[in-house]
Amino acid sequence: MTPDDSLALADWLRRNRHDEAALLVYRRHLRDYPHGPGAAEAHVGAALVLLDAFGQATPAYQHLLEALDLDPSVETAAQARAALASIRARQKLQVGYSRDRRGE
């Protein structure tokens, strides 16, 4: 499968909520093309699946940092930064929740 085909398939799977399959294709893309075409996009796609479908912020965060290290397109960098902001906001909510619970 070409890099473009691989990303197109993974993106389609993610859009259609086939989360496990999408994550598998993103990971295979990264295995086959770790620094090649679409690597940054695959990292962001994998991060979004991990974050949105599985609630796994830590591995999603690592994928997002990897994406930004690959000098992504403006659009991909914006997606990565938005997802990082989402992770930070979720962490703040969790910390705030635990503080509120202690004060009761």
Side-chain angles (χ1 to χ4, degrees):
M1 196 176 319
T2 69
D4 288 341
D5 291 341
S6 175
L7 281 179
L9 174 59
D11 290 342
W12 184 90
L13 290 165
R14 182 170 57 89
R15 281 192 311 273
N16 288 283
R17 306 301 300 163
H18 300 285
D19 302 315
E20 290 180 18
L23 186 57
L24 176 69
V25 176
Y26 285 127
R27 286 178 172 163
R28 285 191 179 173
H29 181 96
L30 291 167
R31 180 198 66 198
D32 294 344
Y33 312 104
H35 301 286
E41 291 81 359
H43 276 295
V44 171
L48 294 175
V49 171
L50 287 165
L51 191 58
D52 297 337
F54 301 113
Q56 296 181 4
T58 301
Y61 183 84
Q62 294 301 318
H63 276 290
L64 295 167
L65 293 180
E66 288 289 331
L68 291 172
D69 282 346
L70 292 171
D71 193 28
S73 69
V74 172
E75 180 182 330
T76 301
Q79 287 179 313
R81 288 188 183 97
L84 286 169
S86 173
I87 290 171
R88 283 191 294 276
R90 290 177 191 204
Q91 290 172 339
K92 287 180 184 177
L93 287 175
Q94 290 173 353
V95 170
Y97 177 77
S98 64
R99 283 189 198 148
D100 292 343
R101 300 289 292 168
R102 283 187 282 152
E104 291 182 358

